[in-house]
Amino acid sequence: MQNKRREFLRASALLAGGVLLNQFAFAGGKHSSVDDTIRIALIGCGDRGTGAAFQALSTTAKVKLVAMADAFQDRLDNSYKLLSDKFKDKVAVPADQRFVGFDAYQKAIALADVVLLTTPPGFRPMHFEEAVKQGKHIFMEKPVAVDAPGIRRVLAAAAIAKQKKLNVVVGLQRRYQANYREVLKRIQDGAIGDIVGGQVYWNSGGVWVKKREAQQTEMEYQMRNWYYFNWLCGDHIVEQHVHNIDIANWVKNAYPVAVQGTGSRAWRTGKDYGEIYDNHSVELTYADGAVIYSQCRHFEGTDNRVDETFQGTKGRTYLSAGNQGILWDQSGKQLFSHPSKGNANPYQTEHDELFAAIAKGEYKFSDAERAAKSCFTAIIGRYATYSGQVIKWDEALRANNSLFPEQLSWTAMPKVLPDANGLYPIPTPGRTKVI
Ligand SMILES: NC(=O)c1ccc[n+]([C@@H]2O[C@H](COP(=O)([O-])OP(=O)(O)OC[C@H]3O[C@@H](n4cnc5c(N)ncnc54)[C@H](O)[C@@H]3O)[C@@H](O)[C@H]2O)c1
């Protein structure tokens, strides 16, 4: 078994080195595994990254965290302390393997067999591309991009990852959660017939906000308060609601051909909230005529709802991240109900399954393409609400509308800037052009 694993890790390195596929440069350095320990690099040492590293280090595989990268020293230091306190024997990240800055990711990726990509999503295409180029197995958080050019990069790198047999798991953890897996299996076996409609929701009170501090450059401010800037976050329809939209696509086993919707800023109107909306209502229309309604909002003091319902020609279903998964026939008779107790934590399951496959030398996971397509569904939802136009999938996917800054440095300027009062331009349907 160990030999098989060593072979597998070495084969990935050889592929990256262009020995078997010659279009990529070998990153060099400590690249191929010298023993059977699986070496991990964490790129983006924030809340989720620290959590993902915690989960990776909690698997039964023989693993070590060997490199860390973050844009900011304080975020990296905090994460390093938490992880090294908790996993004394499994964190081996000397100071010269803790990298800070916009180019930190390349150096950390080079030292690992598996990389955890957990920065804000605007950087994911660049980081995923690099990890694939260097021949690494990958866990990456959703969203995988925030605009059409980013999605195209991820789709292209996903195809190369498949050729190289690099396992790629994406943190759409409902795909690794038992109630969803059980219900989806039954839907795909025809339990409720063809899906003709549905409703998916992420209605909550919203998330954190970071105030501007004296001495910050515009780039640092946007990087710290990243949730509210589209080049980093993609708006909350992409950043959060993608989870539920992904379930719609999974249930339909397809992606929408067109999307239309409406949205605005009703609650978060001040200058601390960048440029994003706080509500989106979107219709996803599929090629067979099915329409799934998607709603997300960040309003304090209103009802919370995060779940999915779908109607089929022979019955209906209800699903939620709280382990619920119920199927009924048309008469209302319950066909299946997933047990609410005794369920594994899907955040742990995605790492358990990924590291088990890598440890056995198996190629089992290629989540990037379907995740990119679900992220793109959410992105065109944003294009629809910002523009007020019907957005067609194929046309939108060709758009050259990158939100990414021309240059990356602490003094470089992002593309969207505040006015003299500190307020950012807000998209206006009918006037805003997205494509
Ligand atoms: N699957 C889930 O349920 C779930 C839950 C929470 C977050 N997430 C996802 O995880 C990602 C991170 O979210 P978070 O809550 O941890 O945010 P966070 O702000 O806590 O962490 C992001 C980290 O990335 C760092 N970073 C930013 N740009 C970087 C770069 N270019 N290179 C290296 N490091 C960089 C930041 O400094 C920060 O430490 C997001 O994509 C988010 O959607 C997923």
Side-chain angles (χ1 to χ4, degrees):
M1 186 64 79
Q2 284 184 4
N3 282 344
K4 195 176 168 201
R5 170 168 46 186
R6 263 196 297 276
E7 239 167 61
F8 186 52
L9 293 171
R10 202 173 304 119
S12 305
L14 287 173
L15 283 163
V19 177
L20 302 177
L21 285 175
N22 65 7
Q23 72 251 59
F24 302 103
F26 181 49
K30 294 184 251 174
H31 199 78
S32 61
S33 212
V34 286
D35 65 15
D36 61 338
T37 301
I38 301 170
R39 298 166 307 166
I40 302 169
L42 171 60
I43 320 299
C45 310
D47 298 340
R48 182 80 270 279
T50 306
F54 186 100
Q55 279 127 15
L57 296 174
S58 301
T59 64
T60 55
K62 191 171 169 195
V63 288
K64 267 206 165 84
L65 183 67
V66 300
M68 298 172 76
D70 201 281
F72 294 109
Q73 186 77 54
D74 59 303
R75 302 292 314 256
L76 190 150
D77 290 347
N78 189 38
S79 174
Y80 175 74
K81 180 162 179 10
L82 286 167
L83 291 167
S84 54
D85 283 353
K86 171 79 189 162
F87 298 96
K88 292 193 173 40
D89 304 334
K90 293 187 179 176
V91 175
V93 195
D96 66 352
Q97 294 184 188
R98 288 176 235 153
F99 305 101
V100 172
F102 287 112
D103 60 353
Y105 70 105
Q106 284 171 317
K107 301 172 201 162
I109 289 171
L111 297 173
D113 304 304
V114 182
V115 298
L116 314 177
L117 305 181
T118 52
T119 64
F123 292 105
R124 202 88 68 243
M126 177 195 276
H127 293 179
F128 178 57
E129 218 169 52
E130 180 67 20
V132 171
K133 181 174 159 191
Q134 292 197 32
K136 311 301 178 168
H137 301 282
I138 296 159
F139 169 80
M140 63 174 164
E141 262 307 340
K142 45 49 67 173
V144 300
V146 296
D147 54 24
I151 292 293
R152 291 198 300 272
R153 281 175 81 172
V154 172
L155 288 172
I160 296 165
K162 273 189 194 169
Q163 286 173 17
K164 292 184 169 190
K165 297 194 175 1
L166 303 173
N167 283 293
V168 180
V169 165
V170 174
L172 289 163
Q173 70 276 1
R174 285 162 178 74
R175 296 267 185 171
Y176 293 81
Q177 188 166 1
N179 58 320
Y180 285 94
R181 285 175 160 181
E182 290 300 320
V183 166
L184 265 289
K185 203 162 51 189
R186 285 166 175 79
I187 290 176
Q188 280 161 8
D189 286 346
I192 57 170
D194 297 331
I195 303 299
V196 291
Q199 302 76 34
V200 297
Y201 300 90
W202 191 303
N203 291 342
S204 72
V207 301
W208 52 264
V209 57
K210 304 266 165 59
K211 299 255 183 210
R212 191 187 289 272
E213 289 178 14
Q215 315 304 329
Q216 277 178 334
T217 62
E218 182 63 23
M219 180 64 81
E220 177 170 0
Y221 170 64
Q222 294 199 12
M223 287 283 289
R224 293 279 189 189
N225 198 26
W226 65 262
Y227 208 94
Y228 301 94
F229 297 97
N230 284 321
W231 72 275
L232 290 161
C233 166
D235 203 318
H236 67 109
I237 186 173
V238 178
E239 201 278 338
Q240 267 183 337
H241 191 39
V242 66
H243 283 296
N244 319 97
I245 287 174
D246 181 53
I247 301 303
N249 291 338
W250 190 9
V251 164
K252 280 303 297 170
N253 198 20
Y255 301 92
V257 290
V259 167
Q260 75 88 27
T262 188
S264 66
R265 276 159 78 103
W267 232 100
R268 291 189 305 223
T269 53
K271 59 185 175 190
D272 292 336
Y273 305 111
E275 59 176 331
I276 72 170
Y277 278 4
D278 60 16
N279 67 95
H280 304 257
S281 292
V282 170
E283 277 176 5
L284 313 173
T285 301
Y286 292 79
D288 64 1
V291 178
I292 293 181
Y293 172 69
S294 121
Q295 181 182 94
C296 61
R297 69 176 182 229
H298 281 177
F299 294 169
E300 281 179 34
T302 59
D303 284 342
N304 286 346
R305 179 169 186 180
V306 180
D307 60 16
E308 304 89 23
T309 58
F310 301 97
Q311 298 79 41
T313 49
K314 292 196 217 152
R316 63 196 168 86
T317 186
Y318 174 81
L319 289 147
S320 88
N323 296 312
Q324 288 168 291
I326 310 172
L327 292 160
W328 296 268
D329 71 10
Q330 263 176 339
S331 72
K333 186 176 133 223
Q334 203 175 89
L335 302 172
F336 174 78
S337 178
H338 184 78
S340 59
K341 298 234 160 59
N343 291 287
N345 172 359
Y347 290 94
Q348 187 59 52
T349 304
E350 54 195 10
H351 288 268
D352 288 347
E353 295 188 4
L354 171 64
F355 281 90
I358 295 168
K360 287 187 204 143
E362 291 174 355
Y363 172 54
K364 277 180 82 169
F365 298 101
S366 55
D367 292 0
E369 181 184 341
R370 72 174 188 222
K373 289 181 176 172
S374 280
C375 290
F376 192 59
T377 310
I379 290 167
I380 58 177
R382 186 188 78 224
Y383 290 168
T385 60
Y386 282 11
S387 67
Q389 311 296 330
V390 174
I391 304 292
K392 306 248 174 67
W393 178 283
D394 291 341
E395 191 186 338
L397 192 54
R398 290 193 294 270
N400 283 319
N401 53 356
S402 173
L403 302 173
F404 207 74
E406 298 295 340
Q407 269 194 327
L408 271 185
S409 80
W410 295 116
T411 50
M413 285 296 177
K415 287 183 178 167
V416 170
L417 298 171
D419 66 14
N421 299 316
L423 292 163
Y424 291 84
I426 307 305
T428 308
R431 291 196 200 127
T432 295
K433 299 261 178 291
V434 289
I435 294 181

